[in-house]
Amino acid sequence: MKLNRRSFIKSAAVSSAVATAGSIFPGISFADWKRVKGAYGITWKKAPCRFCGTGCGVLVGVTNNRAVAVKGDPNCSVNKGLCCVKGYHSVQALYGRDRLKKAQIRKNGKMVEVPIAEALDVIAAKLKETVKKHGKDSVAMYGSGQWTIPDGYVASKLFKGCLGTNNVEANARLCMASAVTGFMTSFGIDEPMGCYEDIEHADVFITWGNNMAEMHPVLFSRMLASRKRKKDVTIIDLATRTTRTSQAADRSILFKPNTDLAVANAICYEIIRNGWMDKDFVKKHTTFHKGKTNIGYGTEDHFKFKDKPENMSFAEYKNFLEDYTPEKAERISGVSARDIKYMASLYGDPTKKVTSFWCMGMNQHVRGTWINNLVYNIHLLTGKISTPGNSPFSLTGQPSACGTVREVGTLTHKLPYGVVMKEKARKKAEKIWDLPAGSIDPKPTYHTVEMFRALDRGDIRFMWIQVTNPMITMPNLNRYRNGALKDDRFIVVSDVYPTPTTDVADVILPASMWIEQEGMYGNSERRTQHFDEIVPGPGDTMSDTWQIIEVARRLGFKKQFPWSQKNYIGKIWEEYRRFHDNPKHNMAPYEVLKARSGVQWPFVNGKETRWRFNSKYDPACKKGSDFDFYGKKDGKAWIWARPYEPAAESPDQEYNFWLNTGRVIEHWHSGSMTRRIPILHNAVPESYVELNPEDAANLGVVNGELVKIISRRGSITMKASINGRGVPPKGMVFVPFFDEDYKINEVTLDAFCPISKQPDYKKCAVRLEKA
Amino acid sequence: MKKAENTRGLVHGLAAICLVGLMALPVMAAPGIPQGFDANGEKIFKRYDKTPLAATTGTDGKRNLNSYYELRQYPGSPPMIPHDVDPSFSSKGLKCLSCHEKGGYDSSKNAYAPVTPHPENELCFQCHVPKHAKKLFRENNWLSIAPPKLGISELAGSPPPIPHSLQLREDCIACHTGPAAVAEIRVEHASRGNCRQCHVPFISTAPAKEFKRKN
Ligand code: SF4
């Protein structure tokens, strides 16, 4: 054994320790980190985790105004004291050395630091000037599912209300839009009926294209714990690639990209054929519908689509399913008829409670709305819905995709209550916002992809981007970056670190991060989570909410933004709450939110609603009903006939591989925060391309060798990962998108679901070269 | 494959312990006359040389507070994984637990596996990640507090309180006993079992509270 100096000293220290084993050395410890001076004792304050839509409660340890530690919040029912590696190290993201602390303005092509008031003046002036020159719809706000609820609320109030433009979108369009349209078309009201407690009640879990082990690890752990305790729990991973979730599951079933549509229909076919349908439930609580087919992919500018729902009879629906016998679906999907029958038997078994989980696999899908509908069909046909453990569960990716984007309605067609197209909704907003009637435009403008196309075309000239990094995350990125860089485009970016998006900015505003401000998030299970300002932010940093308020006041909207910096969050919350003043959506009062580790809505008569649409749990249901799907006028949920249609761009002779993109457990989205957390960066320092071992052999590459990935839109060269943490099937490659040095979205395609307008990041065609 | 090696390692260790027993026997049978020892001396010395220190002393002496905190970002943070690990964390997430649930000697690492205090959590990679980078992406100004001091007894000789939070670490035996225990916090009287009979939490990362009677 060779001893180098270091290990020699170490082993010497140890042997002396061993020699005097049993004795202790008071005061001796050798932590690797630098210490807060003179600190002893920590105060713990609750907050929701900064990262994923699971919405774990964390306790942040504070000493001398610095966050120094984290533990899971035992009072938060989401995670009951357990976090994931991102949550445990989340506070380190506050202290990256290159934190943005000062406002910057582009002067003669160079960014120079200025007092923040000057930057706010410039923003207000530029907004005014642009509206005057190019019209109100030439200015836009692009926000995020990581906006706090007040952030999104004031953004909507300023742009939709005061400025009268519906140019408000958020990156949640890229992650949750299909979930929303899925809910709206099937149930007429957004967000899951169930809650995380379903996990402890369910006997069977089917994850649809959802690598939960990495993306919602704390929920996945709850699933594993339940399986361990109850023994007869089955987890099935239905996916397009083998992941850590597949490894932990009892069965891993692979389907070809986009063919989940066929698999879901075949499961319904089997359920009906075997008499597993809950006839009573279906008769009492559902109606059957079909819509347009062959609906396109939205790859061209100004793409328009409007579905035309038609009623159909059960017999017609049954007839429609004839195209999806297990055997026919096998030919489309590559899933064996046996496996399809097996899954159908699990859904159909009346003694088993079944929960389906999904997230980006079903939402980032050119038929995202459809596949959401189809999985609801399965649960509706079997009556396995809205009861503990029987739950079609659409998970969110961001901490406040639900809270800020879906509930506040920071999408072009939405308002905090209802949609802009409805007069009643506009009137309500105008009243609460103290605006003259007719202030809100009844016409939606651009969804996210089209908004960036409008920026490229010049229809939009001013864009304010907050808490998101579109210059990493937009599909077909080259076009949109070039668009943003064009002359006469003015881009404002509020962020906490320099990113490829601040690189294209004309003004950068230093933002408060997470617990440096007071705010609320809303997680996947309708849970609103309040956090205080726990530590002060550095330099001139300012909350996104307050930045918007400052600009609004400069534009003359003092009346709409009257609050003081001392208590604006509470005031905004109470104003916002008026929009949801009904038992289907009631939100908890500010004081309750402050006191608890998250509160679920509908919050009615001081009680949270765990399962919606079930009169046992949900006071909004009609008296005397058992189930009431009150989102639809007749109280009935819709079962949809939606066919299988292929992806926008499938592999062909020339571009012969599927490209799939996604995340890893260590990194959050574009990595601007997690890459500055040492332990997370160390674990996955750079992105890579996962190849199937056979494809790698054919290409002649081994682990770590460079592969060039080429699509019709761009190319990228990165290291190969073979038999790494995930293994794609033959003919597919997978690339994590967090790494700004390997912008995989220069390669992806900006095709989207025509109904939800959410792009499909999981499917486009590429070819590979050994580089 | 790895698993097979482990078992071999364990057998190795056991063999060594038996050997110690055998060595002692003849000495006791005939004091002063080391029967067979001289004749077999070379073999025994060779065997001794080949037997890892860990197997003969019951500790590999590798873990001390220094190395313990090197793997952490603040007192109580989940430690990173200091050894190679299959990126897939395969076979139902249980592979980590095959060593870290009960511990034992792993000859491939020439070390005893530390025992997890929370084996009920099977999704290890949820909190524990390996280190693959040599350089940071960007520098970080992270500061935390001093780790808890050891042996802060209230009275001379009184049992020291538990200085850390018990969340996910309520199993004292896992970390404070056995061959993989950190040298400085290894206890010699684990056989007493009921640790919290004498040691009560006095958590250094919580503000000290004094008892005050209400009215
Ligand atoms: S699972 Fe999500 S919310 Fe929970 S700690 Fe991890 S990143 Fe945070």
Side-chain angles (χ1 to χ4, degrees):
Chain A
M1 195 170 83
K2 232 172 64 191
L3 276 182
N4 58 29
R5 213 182 94 77
R6 185 177 156 78
S7 70
F8 173 74
I9 290 171
K10 253 194 191 176
S11 76
V14 168
S15 9
S16 74
V18 172
T20 50
S23 69
I24 28 185
F25 313 101
I28 296 189
S29 58
F30 322 79
D32 212 22
W33 56 83
K34 292 210 183 88
R35 316 268 177 80
V36 180
K37 286 214 181 74
Y40 187 77
I42 282 185
T43 334
W44 296 94
K45 297 234 170 106
K46 75 164 171 89
C49 172
R50 172 63 184 80
F51 298 116
C52 87
T54 301
C56 295
V58 298
L59 292 175
V60 177
V62 183
T63 203
N64 291 6
N65 276 332
R66 282 188 66 111
V68 293
V70 172
K71 56 185 179 184
D73 180 354
N75 295 326
C76 180
S77 68
V78 171
N79 55 316
K80 302 177 181 123
L82 183 67
C83 291
C84 84
V85 66
K86 288 190 296 305
Y88 281 119
H89 299 93
S90 53
V91 290
Q92 294 188 303
L94 298 168
Y95 301 112
R97 209 164 281 174
D98 57 341
R99 197 51 208 274
L100 295 169
K101 294 176 189 142
K102 287 248 174 250
Q104 297 172 39
I105 295 183
R106 194 173 296 278
K107 287 184 178 162
N108 304 321
K110 271 187 77 182
M111 296 307 280
V112 289
E113 289 189 350
V114 295
I116 192 160
E118 186 184 329
L120 293 163
D121 288 344
V122 169
I123 295 167
K126 196 72 196 178
L127 243 171
K128 227 186 221 162
E129 180 198 317
T130 313
V131 169
K132 207 163 151 206
K133 243 166 99 184
H134 302 283
K136 67 183 176 59
D137 289 336
S138 66
V139 299
M141 172 59 95
Y142 183 60
S144 161
Q146 296 157 69
W147 255 346
T148 67
I149 290 174
D151 292 343
Y153 182 76
V154 294
S156 177
K157 188 170 181 177
L158 174 61
F159 278 74
K160 296 199 166 208
C162 301
L163 299 173
T165 174
N166 286 321
N167 281 348
V168 177
E169 277 278 300
N171 67 359
R173 173 75 74 179
L174 314 177
C175 90
M176 295 322 309
S178 302
V180 177
T181 48
F183 276 114
M184 295 311 287
T185 48
S186 290
F187 303 100
I189 188 168
D190 191 21
E191 296 201 30
M193 49 290 292
C195 63
Y196 295 158
E197 275 170 47
D198 286 319
I199 297 172
E200 281 74 36
H201 292 282
D203 306 303
V204 177
F205 296 94
I206 302 195
T207 57
W208 290 74
N210 185 198
N211 181 9
M212 262 178 101
E214 289 199 70
M215 307 321 155
H216 298 86
V218 163
L219 299 180
F220 196 71
S221 274
R222 274 177 76 166
M223 239 156 86
L224 295 188
S226 175
R227 179 172 72 182
K228 195 168 189 172
R229 203 170 45 241
K230 300 208 300 205
K231 303 285 184 239
D232 55 350
V233 168
T234 309
I235 301 172
I236 298 198
D237 179 46
L238 177 62
T240 59
R241 130 182 189 266
T242 308
T243 63
R244 287 182 179 176
T245 303
S246 331
Q247 276 151 359
D250 298 285
R251 278 295 302 280
S252 148
I253 297 172
L254 291 177
F255 63 91
K256 292 183 193 150
N258 233 49
T259 68
D260 40 358
L261 297 155
V263 175
N265 275 329
I267 289 174
C268 292
Y269 172 91
E270 272 295 294
I271 285 169
I272 294 172
R273 193 184 67 90
N274 287 297
W276 294 326
M277 187 170 90
D278 184 339
K279 289 207 184 96
D280 267 3
F281 184 94
V282 170
K283 209 165 143 211
K284 261 176 88 179
H285 302 298
T286 67
T287 51
F288 291 84
H289 305 266
K290 63 183 176 192
K292 286 189 189 164
T293 56
N294 242 325
I295 59 179
Y297 300 100
T299 43
E300 63 278 12
D301 280 37
H302 303 295
F303 173 87
K304 286 245 148 44
F305 174 82
K306 202 170 172 348
D307 205 7
K308 215 176 114 221
E310 284 173 53
N311 295 336
M312 75 197 296
S313 67
F314 176 62
E316 284 170 312
Y317 173 68
K318 243 179 96 175
N319 203 29
F320 156 83
L321 288 180
E322 286 299 324
D323 286 345
Y324 302 98
T325 63
E327 291 71 24
K328 285 181 191 163
E330 172 175 342
R331 283 197 290 278
I332 300 171
S333 67
V335 179
S336 71
R338 242 183 83 206
D339 283 343
I340 291 173
K341 288 178 182 174
Y342 171 61
M343 286 187 284
S345 74
L346 292 172
Y347 276 113
D349 184 340
T351 68
K352 285 197 159 74
K353 294 188 198 127
V354 189
T355 290
S356 306
F357 277 117
W358 67 92
C359 197
M360 291 311 135
M362 265 170 52
N363 294 338
Q364 293 177 336
H365 190 307
V366 283
R367 295 294 176 263
T369 310
W370 288 9
I371 184 64
N372 273 267
N373 292 147
L374 295 184
V375 175
Y376 293 130
N377 287 356
I378 302 174
H379 284 267
L380 288 167
L381 286 172
T382 51
K384 294 192 178 182
I385 193 164
S386 290
T387 46
N390 283 321
S391 198
F393 211 122
S394 160
L395 296 165
T396 42
Q398 302 187 76
S400 202
C402 283
T404 305
V405 180
R406 292 161 73 167
E407 291 155 28
V408 176
T410 51
L411 296 168
T412 182
H413 64 291
K414 279 275 296 160
L415 285 167
Y417 169 84
V419 289
V420 296
M421 297 81 94
K422 289 264 162 63
E423 201 189 345
K424 195 178 143 204
R426 291 198 305 274
K427 281 213 162 122
K428 187 173 181 131
E430 284 157 358
K431 187 165 161 236
I432 295 175
W433 288 347
D434 199 1
L435 288 165
S439 297
I440 298 169
D441 193 325
K443 258 189 73 183
T445 50
Y446 308 108
H447 57 84
T448 295
V449 171
E450 197 58 28
M451 192 185 250
F452 278 87
R453 285 176 185 167
L455 182 70
D456 180 34
R457 290 193 303 261
D459 300 338
I460 288 177
R461 299 300 178 106
F462 172 105
M463 190 187 276
W464 189 349
I465 299 167
Q466 289 194 320
V467 216
T468 185
N469 193 0
M471 294 304 129
I472 294 271
T473 55
M474 285 301 292
N476 193 8
L477 183 57
N478 284 324
R479 174 178 178 190
Y480 302 119
R481 188 175 45 237
N482 292 338
L485 285 168
K486 278 184 181 163
D487 283 348
D488 208 17
R489 305 289 187 280
F490 197 82
I491 311 283
V492 179
V493 179
S494 308
D495 213 331
V496 297
Y497 286 110
T499 66
T501 305
T502 60
D503 287 348
V504 305
D506 298 286
V507 175
I508 298 173
L509 292 179
S512 315
M513 185 179 160
W514 187 31
I515 50 172
E516 293 166 355
Q517 62 197 326
E518 184 184 357
M520 299 94 175
Y521 287 157
N523 82 348
S524 288
E525 55 158 2
R526 297 176 279 108
R527 182 177 296 279
T528 315
Q529 301 157 297
H530 173 271
F531 51 102
D532 270 323
E533 180 184 321
I534 294 176
V535 292
D540 285 347
T541 52
M542 187 184 274
S543 76
D544 295 283
T545 306
W546 198 256
Q547 293 172 9
I548 294 171
I549 293 173
E550 287 281 346
V551 169
R553 289 180 178 175
R554 281 166 168 78
L555 293 171
F557 300 108
K558 286 217 171 71
K559 197 168 79 173
Q560 280 75 24
F561 298 88
W563 312 292
S564 103
Q565 211 163 354
K566 267 210 203 92
N567 59 3
Y568 66 116
I569 298 298
K571 294 272 193 261
I572 289 172
W573 177 258
E574 288 305 331
E575 179 182 308
Y576 162 60
R577 214 157 69 86
R578 290 167 61 196
F579 281 93
H580 296 309
D581 191 14
N582 68 73
K584 295 173 190 173
H585 216 297
N586 250 337
M587 295 277 178
Y590 179 65
E591 295 307 325
V592 175
L593 286 185
K594 259 183 94 96
R596 300 193 200 166
S597 300
V599 184
Q600 277 189 296
W601 63 265
F603 185 78
V604 185
N605 302 327
K607 266 179 74 183
E608 301 168 79
T609 305
R610 294 270 187 270
W611 287 276
R612 291 200 294 169
F613 313 140
N614 180 339
S615 63
K616 245 202 249 167
Y617 307 96
D618 184 350
C621 289
K622 223 190 281 125
K623 294 275 157 310
S625 60
D626 47 355
F627 293 93
D628 179 8
F629 295 98
Y630 49 68
K632 296 284 190 192
K633 276 208 184 83
D634 58 0
K636 292 183 179 185
W638 288 22
I639 289 175
W640 283 91
R642 305 285 203 188
Y644 160 71
E645 284 179 10
E649 187 186 67
S650 301
D652 55 20
Q653 290 288 325
E654 201 186 342
Y655 296 92
N656 54 346
F657 276 85
W658 288 107
L659 168 66
N660 183 359
T661 67
R663 280 186 43 218
V664 291
I665 183 173
E666 290 84 354
H667 287 298
W668 170 249
H669 277 195
S670 62
S672 59
M673 292 179 286
T674 47
R675 297 190 83 198
R676 286 169 171 89
I677 297 175
I679 190 168
L680 300 179
H681 172 69
N682 285 341
V684 188
E686 60 179 358
S687 187
Y688 49 82
V689 51
E690 282 177 3
L691 289 116
N692 182 278
E694 268 187 65
D695 290 331
N698 289 341
L699 202 63
V701 295
V702 298
N703 238 336
E705 280 189 318
L706 292 177
V707 177
K708 187 169 183 187
I709 309 163
I710 308 152
S711 79
R712 293 180 175 88
R713 295 152 296 280
S715 71
I716 186 172
T717 302
M718 59 202 313
K719 284 184 193 151
S721 160
I722 300 152
N723 285 327
R725 71 170 69 184
V727 182
K730 265 188 73 166
M732 179 195 285
V733 295
F734 173 86
V735 178
F737 73 92
F738 69 84
D739 190 341
E740 63 178 61
D741 297 325
Y742 301 95
K743 297 188 188 71
I744 190 60
N745 278 318
E746 292 177 352
V747 181
T748 55
L749 175 66
D750 51 353
F752 50 77
C753 166
I755 303 175
S756 71
K757 321 292 194 278
Q758 175 171 354
D760 186 334
Y761 291 88
K762 307 288 186 190
K763 291 158 227 134
C764 73
V766 295
R767 67 190 160 81
L768 307 179
E769 279 172 15
K770 186 174 169 166
Chain B
M1 191 58 219
K2 271 206 180 119
K3 201 164 177 182
E5 275 172 20
N6 285 349
T7 355
R8 222 181 304 135
L10 268 178
V11 171
H12 218 85
L14 285 176
I17 291 164
C18 295
L19 197 76
V20 175
L22 284 178
M23 262 160 51
L25 267 179
V27 177
M28 277 161 61
I33 312 168
Q35 286 177 14
F37 183 84
D38 281 343
N40 290 320
E42 192 186 348
K43 201 167 134 200
I44 290 169
F45 279 122
K46 272 194 183 150
R47 183 82 175 75
Y48 173 77
D49 268 355
K50 278 197 190 128
T51 305
L53 185 71
T56 55
T57 60
T59 175
D60 55 32
K62 285 202 171 146
R63 298 182 74 228
N64 58 18
L65 272 187
N66 192 14
S67 56
Y68 178 89
Y69 281 117
E70 266 176 5
L71 302 179
R72 285 159 173 81
Q73 304 290 313
Y74 54 85
S77 92
M80 64 174 139
I81 302 167
H83 55 77
D84 276 354
V85 54
D86 184 315
S88 68
F89 277 82
S90 58
S91 42
K92 301 202 169 184
L94 289 172
K95 210 168 176 184
C96 310
L97 286 179
S98 67
C99 294
H100 292 291
E101 182 165 16
K102 300 221 164 68
Y105 181 69
D106 179 351
S107 63
S108 71
K109 300 193 171 59
N110 187 18
Y112 280 96
V115 178
T116 172
H118 45 253
E120 66 283 4
N121 292 305
E122 295 176 11
L123 202 67
C124 312
F125 59 76
Q126 178 180 319
C127 303
H128 304 282
V129 293
K131 181 172 177 173
H132 293 307
K134 295 209 171 65
K135 244 185 79 201
L136 290 180
F137 176 65
R138 298 284 184 273
E139 288 299 316
N140 195 300
N141 293 329
W142 174 246
L143 305 174
S144 190
I145 55 157
K149 287 191 177 130
L150 300 179
I152 36 172
S153 305
E154 282 292 303
L155 308 168
S158 73
I162 303 166
H164 59 76
S165 150
L166 292 176
Q167 197 169 325
L168 290 163
R169 286 177 292 160
E170 56 269 275
D171 179 2
C172 316
I173 297 295
C175 304
H176 290 282
T177 69
V182 169
E184 293 90 331
I185 60 169
R186 194 171 165 190
V187 297
E188 300 293 296
H189 56 275
S191 58
R192 305 209 180 224
N194 186 12
C195 315
R196 290 169 71 177
Q197 172 185 326
C198 304
H199 304 280
V200 294
F202 182 77
I203 295 162
S204 72
T205 53
K209 286 193 190 109
E210 275 184 24
F211 173 69
K212 269 208 193 92
R213 254 194 101 207
K214 283 189 198 140
N215 296 324

